[in-house]
Amino acid sequence: MDARRIVLGVTGGVAAYKAAELARLLVKAGIDTQVVCTEAARHFVGPATFQALTGHPVFSDLWDERVDSGMAHIDLGRGADLIVVAPASADFLAKLVQGVAADLLSTLCLARDCPLLVAPAMNRQMWEHPATQRNVALLRQDGVELLGPDQGEQACGEIGFGRMLEPEALLEAIEARFQPKRLAGLKVLVTAGPTFEAIDAVRGITNASSGRMGYAVARAALEAGAEVTLVTGPTCLTPPRAARVIPVTRCQDMLAAVESVVADVDIFIGVAAVADYYVLNPSEQKIKKDAHILTLELAPNPDILASVSSRPSPPFCVGFAAESENIEEYAELKRRRKHLPLIVANDVREAVGAEAVQLVLLDEAGRHVLPLADKRTQARRLIAHIAALYQATRP
Ligand code: CTP
């Protein structure tokens, strides 16, 4: 993401406070961020906040003398890969439609030579008003990408459409613009997280998988242009906004969810840490303790990945092998046993809960090391490898 540059336009609305968080996330993601505020935005969040977060002075004025050429409306937009206006008020959307160059931000949008993304934020009646809806339709026709709005509780106390998307969701959409569309037009199914096999009404058998790797893989596939279904065991994570999400608990439920969509997918990536056993006859009530030894009877769970890869015409199947010893040897054995074109080997002692991981990809051509990096980066590298192998197998 380095050397990417965006102009973050902030217009006047309560959601401007969320733009500060967006600026922080963008900078953290390695995106050089230049903030341009409207006068109204300055009533909500001061320029010092954005300046501290981005490391750049904030501009608002067409006649700002800090821009050497005296052409702030041209210079600030040049070299930008994107202009993102978040929040975009109803008034600002109307200005964009009309091509009004009333202040620095609207003039920058008019004089741009890069894509424009807007994240509307306004009261629900303003959003639903025919004038705003007409403006939105015209903006889409003009090639402007609309991010949201979401629905929910608003600052005014009303409930409906008009909430700005959360900063994380905006970052997701912005980052996706920078990724090559290697999986455009393809359908990808990802399993993620642990499963939970009930012992009684409140207890169960599970494992330490956080789901972060699986969610990162789903997100990387979305960024690469795929349509993604994410079948997920219980996790604390927010799934990628653009994915179709099927939450499940037990291995059996995960298998059923996978079977309900797998016939229609091109690529299946099994990242879930599926419990190998389930409890026979779990108690419907909470088991009361007594002084006796409690014996649980466990029966083997079905292998979801193996059942997908043994279908008559399987999708391109990718497995994960979490091992604690003889990592590559065991992973390669698993790859062959489950008839997979690709398996991702990792050291489970390092991977669970860790920010950064090293992965080794094993395929017909041999081994490919993905050196230590955060899970988001590894997921993008993995998707690039999958896309190359997938394309090579197609006529
Ligand atoms: N997997 C699956 N269904 C299962 C068990 C595993 O789909 N019931 C998938 C996982 O999502 C992963 C791969 O199979 O992609 C490897 O899982 P792992 O548990 O490491 O391997 P196992 O085949 O269960 O072998 P073992 O537990 O003996 O290491």
Side-chain angles (χ1 to χ4, degrees), residues 70 85-86 100-101 123 140 187 211 267 272 338 356:
V85 181
V100 169
N123 162 273
R140 286 208 175 97
K187 291 187 178 144
I267 298 171
K338 300 195 191 189

Side-chain angles (χ1 to χ4, degrees), residues 191-193 195 251 254-255 258 268-277 300-308 318-324 330 334 337-338 340 342-344 346:
T191 64
T195 61
C251 168
M254 188 173 271
L255 177 65
V258 164
F268 174 73
I269 311 174
V271 197
V274 185
D276 287 328
Y277 297 91
N301 261 330
D303 189 313
I304 300 167
L305 179 58
S307 84
V308 172
V318 182
F320 267 69
E323 308 290 350
S324 59
Y330 285 168
K334 235 173 241 184
R337 194 174 69 237
K338 300 195 191 189
L340 309 173
L342 174 66
I343 200 159
V344 183
N346 62 10

Side-chain angles (χ1 to χ4, degrees), residues 194-208 234 249-251 273 275-287 294 296-298 301:
T195 61
F196 180 94
E197 311 292 337
I199 295 172
D200 67 12
V202 291
R203 305 180 182 95
I205 298 175
T206 186
N207 59 66
T249 306
R250 304 172 309 160
C251 168
D276 287 328
Y277 297 91
Y278 70 98
V279 181
L280 275 175
N281 307 318
S283 165
E284 272 184 30
Q285 304 303 329
K286 187 179 167 206
I287 300 172
L294 178 68
L296 291 177
E297 258 195 302
L298 303 180
N301 261 330

Side-chain angles (χ1 to χ4, degrees), residues 42-286:
R42 297 168 82 102
H43 290 286
F44 291 94
V45 184
T49 301
F50 288 117
Q51 177 160 343
L53 290 168
T54 63
H56 294 301
V58 173
F59 293 90
S60 296
D61 184 0
L62 264 173
W63 313 107
D64 199 311
E65 285 171 5
R66 289 172 298 175
V67 179
D68 289 345
S69 65
M71 305 268 269
H73 66 292
I74 303 289
D75 288 358
L76 292 174
R78 293 290 172 264
D81 299 294
L82 285 180
I83 299 180
V84 181
V85 181
S89 63
D91 173 65
F92 194 77
L93 296 181
K95 283 197 179 104
L96 286 177
V97 170
Q98 295 297 323
V100 169
D103 57 7
L104 179 58
L105 185 57
S106 54
T107 312
L108 267 175
C109 290
L110 197 59
R112 76 183 194 278
D113 56 6
C114 64
L116 173 61
L117 279 59
V118 296
M122 63 198 73
N123 162 273
R124 71 175 174 86
Q125 272 160 332
M126 292 170 82
W127 172 252
E128 285 161 11
H129 194 284
T132 305
Q133 290 305 309
R134 206 164 41 237
N135 287 341
V136 164
L138 287 169
L139 285 175
R140 286 208 175 97
Q141 264 178 39
D142 285 349
V144 175
E145 185 181 338
L146 271 102
L147 307 174
D150 226 338
Q151 63 172 327
E153 196 174 334
Q154 306 202 306
C156 54
E158 294 182 9
I159 294 175
F161 272 97
R163 273 173 67 93
M164 189 172 85
L165 290 190
E166 292 303 319
E168 265 292 346
L170 292 175
L171 177 74
E172 212 175 89
I174 293 165
E175 287 197 299
R177 296 293 296 226
F178 292 132
Q179 296 301 321
K181 304 297 167 213
R182 295 183 166 103
L183 300 180
L186 296 179
K187 291 187 178 144
V188 174
L189 173 58
V190 180
T191 64
T195 61
F196 180 94
E197 311 292 337
I199 295 172
D200 67 12
V202 291
R203 305 180 182 95
I205 298 175
T206 186
N207 59 66
S209 165
S210 67
R212 288 225 307 278
M213 192 70 220
Y215 280 50
V217 168
R219 184 163 164 174
L222 284 166
E223 288 177 347
E227 197 180 301
V228 175
T229 303
L230 174 64
V231 177
T232 174
T235 75
C236 300
L237 307 174
T238 307
R241 199 182 140 75
R244 174 184 172 209
V245 181
I246 309 181
V248 295
T249 306
R250 304 172 309 160
C251 168
Q252 281 288 358
D253 307 330
M254 188 173 271
L255 177 65
V258 164
E259 280 177 346
S260 71
V261 284
V262 74
D264 196 32
V265 306
D266 304 290
I267 298 171
F268 174 73
I269 311 174
V271 197
V274 185
D276 287 328
Y277 297 91
Y278 70 98
V279 181
L280 275 175
N281 307 318
S283 165
E284 272 184 30
Q285 304 303 329
K286 187 179 167 206

Side-chain angles (χ1 to χ4, degrees), residues 345-367:
N346 62 10
D347 187 331
V348 72
R349 294 161 307 176
E350 289 168 10
V352 172
E355 273 299 325
V357 283
Q358 172 176 298
L359 301 178
V360 180
L361 311 187
L362 303 170
D363 59 23
E364 289 298 325
R367 65 192 288 275

